[in-house]
Structure formats: C-alpha cells, structure tokens
Amino acid sequence: MSANINATLSALAEPKRLQIVELLREGPLTVGEIAEKLELLQPQTSKHLGVLNKAGLVEVKAQANMRIYKLCQQPFKDLDGWLTSFEHVWEERFDRLDEYLQKLQGKD
Amino acid sequence: MSANINATLSALAEPKRLQIVELLREGPLTVGEIAEKLELLQPQTSKHLGVLNKAGLVEVKAQANMRIYKLCQQPFKDLDGWLTSFEHVWEERFDRLDEYLQKLQGKD
DNA sequence: TAGGAATATTCTTGTAAAGGAATATTTAGA
DNA sequence: TCTAAATATTCCTTTACAAGAATATTCCTA
C-alpha cells in the first residue's frame, strides 16, 4: 500500500472531519457520542465518518446496533513520513535563495 | 501565532498544489519554472501559488519581472507538531477498544 | 518610450461536495 | 413480531473552488 497523501489530506481538510479525528485521539467512540460531543447531527456525522473510513483514516466495529469508530494509524504515520522529506529544507544550507539569485544573475 | 492546521491542510489537499509544494522541496523556483516542470498553465500556477501564499505555506521574493517562490517552514513544523499529538494513540495500551467494549457491556 | 517577457487578475462556467430533511436499515428486547 | 434506538442512505439545494480564456500589470531593454 503506497501512501496516498492526497487522500489523507483531502479527508482531513474538512473542519468537522478534523474535529472528529482530533476527538478520536482520546479513544474509540460511537457515532452518537461523536455527534453529541461535537454538536453535529447524526446523518452528517455518519457521512463524515464514511468519508474518513473510505480514506482509510478510521475503522469501524459493529457492536449491537451501534458502530464504534477508531483511528487507523497507518495514514498518520505515512503523513509523518511525508513531512520528514521536508526536513532537509529547513537546514540553512538548503535555503538556496541566494544561490538561486546568483544563478539568475549569471544568466544575463 | 497559533497553528492553523485547517488552513494548511486545505491548501495542501489540492493535488496540483501538493505537487508544487513537493517540487519546492528542491529549492526556490520562479513561477515559470514551476509551470514548466509541472506542465501547468501560467495563470493557474499563479493562482495556486496565491492560495499557498495566503495559507502561509510559501513566500515570494520579487526579482526583476519574476517572482521567486520558496517554502515556509513554520506550517510544516506545526503540522508535524500536530501529528505528534497522535503518537500516544499508537501505543497499544491506548487502543482502548476492548476497554471501551467492556464499558458498553457494563451499561446493560 | 515602445515592446516584449514574466506574472497577476478578472470573469465565466462546470463540478464536487457539504448541509438539511426525510427515509431506510439493523439490532435488541418486550 | 412489533417497537424503539442507533446508524446509514438518499435526494435536493447551495456553495466553494478549480479550470479556461482573456486581459491587466510590472519590469527590463533596445
């Protein structure tokens, strides 16, 4: 499974879904609990959870007539790995603006 | 400055903008270079860069009649920090599904 | 100062997606 | 088997936004 950073970012970009994900850091919750804590209507809660599920960010476990949602770890690890690829950018010698300017000058 | 994770995620969620950001890991580039390397039209390139700039992900430096864009580091660090808040979730003892199920059983 | 190169902006249009409301589905229990 | 609770799904409407095309702006140079 290659890391689909795009899918992960798209799913997280929606404010309410971000809230849901942040809430689920505390632990698994049912749809009803999520809706109550975030003051969302049940249908939109289910829909957002569906999107998160499709993106692979959460998984479901049926329990009686309830569904318990919890976070998956892989996409977050993938996202963290992706961010790691930026680390060298922050090192001073990689802020190549001056170098770049000189290159531009040289073109004249 | 509080970390606006939402804004960062929204800006990165667009596939072409993600490409632009990934390209800028290599170093600063002008609009024309970005458009050429990613095979984008100049106007949309400028527009995407405008969004990234507004979200604080890139900064611009004018040079002659060109604009050199480079990545900002703060939002990426903030995003990384945000991801750190998930670390405890991955520890086994925090995967509280069983614990949660028992709590549910106890309600009966 | 006229022209061309690089970039930004505006306007329009098409589309994806979020919200609201209503309804369907599933499950436990009387 | 009927009902109620929990959740999912469908339909409709509205809105945000990306693409495309055309135009405006800025700056250098001849």
Side-chain angles (χ1 to χ4, degrees):
Chain A
M1 268 300 138
S2 75
N4 192 349
I5 301 297
N6 253 314
T8 299
L9 291 171
S10 295
L12 292 175
E14 210 286 325
K16 309 231 169 112
R17 282 199 292 270
L18 188 62
Q19 281 187 273
I20 292 175
V21 166
E22 289 180 328
L23 179 58
L24 288 177
R25 280 183 304 201
E26 318 295 325
L29 289 175
T30 66
V31 176
E33 289 172 320
I34 296 170
E36 184 192 0
K37 297 202 184 204
L38 299 181
E39 297 185 348
L40 301 175
L41 297 177
Q42 177 269 316
Q44 7 271 29
T45 306
S46 281
K47 279 186 275 190
H48 281 310
L49 285 168
V51 174
L52 290 172
N53 184 47
K54 204 161 195 171
L57 297 189
V58 302
E59 52 186 317
V60 209
K61 184 181 177 68
Q63 177 71 3
N65 59 343
M66 313 193 300
R67 307 284 177 99
I68 304 175
Y69 281 88
K70 56 171 287 210
L71 291 181
C72 296
Q73 58 179 27
Q74 196 56 49
F76 294 91
K77 288 186 173 178
D78 291 343
L79 189 54
D80 196 58
W82 182 76
L83 279 173
T84 301
S85 69
F86 286 80
E87 274 174 11
H88 76 283
V89 179
W90 317 140
E91 298 172 25
E92 208 57 42
R93 66 175 178 279
F94 270 92
D95 183 355
R96 304 193 273 190
L97 189 51
D98 293 337
E99 174 189 337
Y100 188 85
L101 286 174
Q102 294 196 337
K103 193 180 77 184
L104 281 179
Q105 306 283 13
K107 283 182 178 172
D108 303 340
Chain B
M1 266 300 135
S2 75
N4 193 349
I5 301 298
N6 252 314
T8 300
L9 291 171
S10 296
L12 291 176
E14 211 287 325
K16 308 225 168 119
R17 283 199 291 271
L18 188 62
Q19 280 188 274
I20 291 176
V21 166
E22 289 180 329
L23 178 59
L24 288 177
R25 280 184 303 198
E26 319 293 326
L29 290 175
T30 66
V31 176
E33 290 171 319
I34 295 170
E36 184 191 2
K37 297 202 184 203
L38 298 182
E39 298 185 348
L40 301 176
L41 297 177
Q42 178 269 315
Q44 8 270 32
T45 305
S46 282
K47 279 185 278 190
H48 281 310
L49 286 167
V51 173
L52 290 172
N53 183 48
K54 203 160 196 172
L57 297 189
V58 302
E59 51 186 320
V60 209
K61 185 182 177 68
Q63 178 72 3
N65 58 344
M66 312 193 301
R67 306 286 175 97
I68 304 176
Y69 281 87
K70 56 170 288 211
L71 291 181
C72 295
Q73 60 179 39
Q74 196 55 49
F76 295 92
K77 287 186 174 180
D78 291 344
L79 189 54
D80 197 57
W82 182 76
L83 279 173
T84 301
S85 68
F86 286 81
E87 274 174 10
H88 77 283
V89 180
W90 316 140
E91 298 170 25
E92 208 57 42
R93 65 175 179 277
F94 270 92
D95 181 357
R96 304 193 273 190
L97 189 50
D98 293 337
E99 175 189 335
Y100 188 85
L101 285 174
Q102 294 196 337
K103 193 180 75 184
L104 281 178
Q105 306 284 11
K107 283 181 179 174
D108 302 340

